[in-house]
Amino acid sequence: QEIMKAHNIVGLSACRVQDGEIIWAGGYGWADIESCKPMTPDVIQNIGSISKTFTNTALMQLWEQGRFKLDEDVNAYLDFKVKNPRFPSEAITFRQLLTHRSSIKDGPAYGESYACGDPSITLKVWLEEYFTPGGEFYTSEGNFHVWKPGQEGELPAQPRPYSNVGFGLLGHLVEGISNTPFSDYCREHIFAPLGMTATSWYLKDLELSRHARPYTHIPAGETRPIMLPEGQTEQTSETGGFHPHCLYSFPTYPDGLIRTSVLQLARLLRVFLNEGAIENKRILKPATVQTIFSHDHFGGGLCWAEHTLPGGDTIWAHSGGDPGINALMCFRVSDMAGYIMLSNTDDAGLGPLLMRMLKEV
């Protein structure tokens, strides 16, 4: 609560997983200030880029079935072309996309695609307009990096190589390979087997009374962008305070739009801590989990990132951030202790909270 106050966090829910089971879960602050709804581990919110771990899981289910190879050109599975125009002869592969080495950049159209409610344009249509020369969202300078796909070694820090659009493309590749809409595939092959009945990519499939309101804290006299029905609006706070966003989305939803709770998300984390299965429900083979967390992919893992903390502890983690939300999911390698923290406030300072949890338990 001290850290929440110091970092202006409206609400926070968290849990710890040990020996493959949830051993503690808690909620603090507010899910909705106006209605005085408390934050609990059952409250739903969007979790930002932690969603990529679901997209990674869906794709790796198809990989372990032999439906594609990690170093194949993804164009073999698309009905439009994806090429960096600076390197037209270089293939863009699944492994590159999963490790942010594809040279696909989040261009201007990506940030402009955020809007209240569920997406009004399909994933396929948006991607085709983004990658096809002459398309509505295409720009060779804005949509691609100057380095080639699969570039080895350290990449330039700016503009960041991390590609949200690339994970949107991975979601569409799941659709093409499985011949199933991405959201339906996840519901059938991930959510349902794991009992994640209150998890969805779309608002229309959720009980919105359980959904947290996302907030941005605006210091007195300062201005911040706020997502409202009329679009992203610059809002100034006279006295300082928390300003709510609408419940928004974007067309490349497989990169960051899972809506779930701490207790629901912990079921996926338990899968990775239990070699691909929980409660006699297997969604990944043990060898597939080992592949994800190996160092065989440009020196790192697939989707997840490995970090060494002060004191020498190693964790595998994925974070998430978007307007009004901040999120973190990780596990410590030494004892396979897992942690999830979800906040309905952006720039929420989850790092200090994680460090305190790691030291105290």
Side-chain angles (χ1 to χ4, degrees), residues 57 194 266-278 281 283-284 289:
T57 299
L194 298 183
R267 300 185 73 81
L268 183 71
L269 179 57
R270 288 168 60 198
V271 164
F272 293 111
L273 298 177
N274 284 297
E275 298 186 313
I278 60 168
K281 297 289 186 179
I283 67 167
L284 290 172
V289 176

Side-chain angles (χ1 to χ4, degrees), residues 234-286:
E234 294 292 325
Q235 196 154 322
T236 302
S237 179
E238 297 293 334
T239 58
F242 297 103
H243 292 255
H245 299 263
C246 67
L247 300 184
Y248 54 84
S249 71
F250 38 85
T252 58
Y253 68 92
D255 82 66
L257 266 182
I258 281 284
R259 302 175 188 277
T260 192
S261 69
V262 156
L263 295 181
Q264 293 263 299
L265 182 55
R267 300 185 73 81
L268 183 71
L269 179 57
R270 288 168 60 198
V271 164
F272 293 111
L273 298 177
N274 284 297
E275 298 186 313
I278 60 168
E279 298 166 3
N280 298 317
K281 297 289 186 179
R282 178 164 297 283
I283 67 167
L284 290 172
K285 297 177 181 178

